[in-house]
Amino acid sequence: MSPSVIMETHDKVGLIRINRPEAFNALNDEVMDGIGSALAGFEADEAIGCIVLTGNDKAFAAGADIAAIKDFGYMDTYKADFITRNWERIKTCRKPIIAAVAGYALGGGCEIAMMCDMIFAAENAKFGQPEIKLGTLPGAGGTQRLPRAIGKAKAMDLCLTGRMMDAVEAERCGLVARIFPTDRLIEETLAAAQTIASYSQPVVMMIKEAVNRAFETSLTEGLLFERRSFHASFALEDQKEGMTAFIEKRKPVFKNR
Ligand code: HXC
């Protein structure tokens, strides 16, 4: 049996493929544990500067595995700390993660895409929070990250009707950073990821941290966090190299320190 999560290395980029095509990449414990350990592996690998999370042409992930969870009782979910236990590793990763979404990103699939730092979509991508049709609600951040990404009106529309949104609508309302033809999604996402991975890793991490701060703090506190991080960047060898290289009209060679 092929593994339900596949790890590939493309130069400085770590690629994680969810691989349960028979179930539209429905997310079970094996997949979530696999994503978690792949992320841990790429985080520990100093040669990796950016991570891409993807599925296949038909599905990024069609949500939590309904067959696996349908008989859960409250105590099963509470005692096992369902979601919190192994779904939130994406959130704690300090290296940037791009979700490359083709096909369905529904329920938990849409939610793990939103846990990533940005979403690149194929033209055939479809996003939705259809949990309401199953008699439950989004449990991995859908009711919280969607309004922050696309505003209250669209978030309410998606969560309360369970309808799907295509890639064009998703880009228009700010859920998606870029759209590509479906057969070019991985190539284009890897190219963007290589660009990110070519920069100074500590600077990349500081920028990710600062942007995420914008969703957790007041503007004044966020600006202070940014300012102090900016000041701190002047302690980096990479800042000296970057600015010197510009003056000397050459490409910088960053050492990630
Ligand atoms: C388990 C799933 C699945 C899922 C699809 N499959 N989605 N199995 N969990 N989430 C399986 C089907 O049972 C079927 O298996 C096979 O994949 C193909 O699916 P079909 O329905 O036959 O295909 P199609 O008619 O093309 O429709 C595709 C689809 C539909 C639109 C993606 O499958 C669908 O609506 N899936 C459920 C989407 C959903 O409700 N997601 C939210 C889940 S709850 P067989 O064996 O029959 O071939 C959730 C909670 C989040 O995510 C809370 C935090 C985790």
Side-chain angles (χ1 to χ4, degrees):
M1 207 176 76
S2 55
S4 54
V5 171
I6 297 170
M7 264 175 102
E8 293 171 20
T9 299
H10 296 255
D11 194 11
K12 294 180 176 175
V13 176
L15 178 66
I16 303 171
R17 292 183 193 269
I18 305 168
N19 183 43
R20 291 191 72 208
E22 71 287 355
F24 277 57
N25 283 346
L27 304 166
N28 59 14
D29 266 352
E30 196 183 319
V31 173
M32 296 318 297
D33 288 342
I35 293 173
S37 65
L39 286 172
F42 286 139
E43 274 225 291
D45 185 344
E46 287 194 10
I48 297 294
C50 190
I51 298 163
V52 174
L53 178 63
T54 195
N56 56 48
D57 279 1
K58 294 199 173 57
F60 176 75
D65 188 323
I66 300 167
I69 66 175
K70 78 175 179 46
D71 294 326
F72 280 177
Y74 169 73
M75 264 306 147
D76 300 313
T77 59
Y78 183 73
K79 278 164 96 178
D81 210 5
F82 181 43
I83 305 300
T84 318
R85 187 181 69 77
N86 57 355
W87 284 59
E88 298 200 316
R89 182 64 183 80
I90 298 169
K91 201 179 80 173
T92 61
C93 182
R94 296 174 75 206
K95 292 180 181 174
I97 310 176
I98 306 177
V101 174
Y104 297 110
L106 303 176
C110 186
E111 290 171 306
I112 64 168
M114 288 192 288
M115 287 179 201
C116 297
D117 298 301
M118 56 187 143
I119 301 174
F120 286 1
E123 281 169 347
N124 75 346
K126 296 230 183 284
F127 299 87
Q129 298 291 161
E131 290 88 343
I132 196 164
K133 297 181 182 174
L134 302 169
T136 185
L137 62 148
T143 66
Q144 302 304 301
R145 289 196 177 91
L146 258 188
R148 282 167 171 79
I150 66 178
K152 178 180 170 183
K154 288 248 183 224
M156 283 288 189
D157 179 6
L158 289 182
C159 292
L160 290 177
T161 68
R163 80 172 174 90
M164 293 184 210
M165 177 163 81
D166 66 17
V168 171
E169 183 181 1
E171 190 196 30
R172 196 171 66 228
C173 64
L175 183 64
V176 157
R178 306 192 210 173
I179 303 176
F180 298 107
T182 305
D183 62 355
R184 296 187 53 78
L185 175 70
I186 294 300
E187 186 186 336
E188 298 285 356
T189 306
L190 286 175
Q194 296 292 1
T195 300
I196 293 167
S198 75
Y199 298 130
S200 165
Q201 268 186 37
V203 173
V204 166
M205 285 158 67
M206 282 172 166
I207 291 172
K208 167 168 170 157
E209 218 172 9
V211 173
N212 280 333
R213 211 67 188 176
F215 295 94
E216 306 283 355
T217 56
S218 66
L219 180 60
T220 302
E221 287 302 315
L223 288 171
L224 181 61
F225 185 86
E226 181 200 75
R227 196 65 35 85
R228 292 292 176 250
S229 302
F230 172 68
H231 291 163
S233 77
F234 284 80
L236 294 171
E237 286 177 29
D238 286 344
Q239 172 270 329
K240 297 288 171 292
E241 168 63 8
M243 294 192 185
T244 304
F246 176 82
I247 299 297
E248 293 176 355
K249 300 190 189 304
R250 61 172 173 83
K251 270 190 84 169
V253 181
F254 293 124
K255 292 188 184 143
N256 299 329
R257 58 176 111 169

